[in-house]
Amino acid sequence: MAAKCADYARDPKGIMYILLIGYLFVVVIFSAVVAASKLFLGLFFFFVLAVIPTWLIIWLKRSLQKKKAEVAEGKNLMNKGI
């Protein structure tokens, strides 16, 4: 079990996800503290500091995956002579 965790931490993608989870934890705690006094302000901070950056990261990673898949598909078609 420990070996799997160590391998996951060495992977650049694994580090990114670990950092994202840590960042989201801090933002949720911060938003909850702010929301204790003013609910709307807490929700605003949560949306601006957590939802938008996370959506942006996921969108960028997915667009890169789509582009790589299109390039690979184009290479496969060219190798087949189509």
Side-chain angles (χ1 to χ4, degrees):
M1 178 70 180
K4 283 187 176 182
C5 292
D7 292 338
Y8 186 72
R10 285 189 203 115
D11 181 24
K13 291 178 187 175
I15 293 293
M16 184 191 76
Y17 291 127
I18 290 171
L19 288 175
L20 180 62
I21 290 168
Y23 172 76
L24 289 175
F25 175 77
V26 170
V27 169
V28 166
I29 296 299
F30 174 74
S31 298
V33 168
V34 172
S37 62
K38 297 190 180 204
L39 180 63
F40 178 74
L41 192 59
L43 292 173
F44 175 76
F45 277 127
F46 176 75
F47 186 75
V48 170
L49 295 176
V51 174
I52 293 173
T54 303
W55 172 80
L56 183 64
I57 289 171
I58 291 170
W59 179 71
L60 288 173
K61 294 293 282 181
R62 184 64 187 140
S63 64
L64 288 173
Q65 287 176 346
K66 286 181 182 179
K67 190 176 285 188
K68 286 180 183 179
E70 288 174 1
V71 168
E73 185 178 334
K75 285 182 181 178
N76 285 341
L77 290 176
M78 289 193 64
N79 288 339
K80 291 180 181 178
I82 296 177

